[in-house]
Amino acid sequence: MNLAKISANGQITVPMEIRRLLGLKSGDKILFYQKQDGEIVLSNASAQAIRKAQSAFSGAAETMGISDEDDVQTLVDEVRYGKGQ
């Protein structure tokens, strides 16, 4: 268990072990949220955003017919240079 003290300004220092577990470094943001059971959870906001984006894009490659790196490169070229070039 790790304990942190709240300063008069409402600031806390996240213990080193927790920073390591969450992959936090100086300047990172921490996301606090409450689960349905009332438990308060904190997480690395950047990692949470990546997981949310991954979830939102889940299945997009299959829908677009992208199955390998060549398909990705073709799509990038089409966006950069326009279709048919």
Side-chain angles (χ1 to χ4, degrees):
M1 179 186 307
N2 289 282
L3 186 64
K5 184 177 178 182
I6 300 174
S7 74
N9 292 331
Q11 298 172 325
I12 62 169
T13 298
V14 178
M16 178 61 78
E17 181 181 347
I18 302 302
R19 292 194 311 261
R20 283 187 193 134
L21 288 170
L22 293 175
L24 294 170
K25 56 191 176 308
S26 180
D28 283 351
K29 295 183 191 250
I30 299 173
L31 176 66
F32 295 87
Y33 59 96
Q34 185 173 15
K35 293 170 44 176
Q36 288 196 350
D37 64 3
E39 180 180 9
I40 303 294
V41 177
L42 71 112
S43 69
N44 181 329
S46 298
Q48 187 76 10
I50 289 169
R51 284 191 293 273
K52 188 174 182 179
Q54 286 173 329
S55 177
F57 288 113
S58 178
E62 292 84 7
T63 301
M64 296 178 70
I66 298 172
S67 60
D68 58 25
E69 290 182 28
D70 290 334
D71 291 341
V72 172
Q73 188 60 55
T74 299
L75 180 59
V76 169
D77 291 345
E78 287 176 0
V79 169
R80 279 188 183 156
Y81 308 115
K83 292 188 179 196
Q85 290 187 5

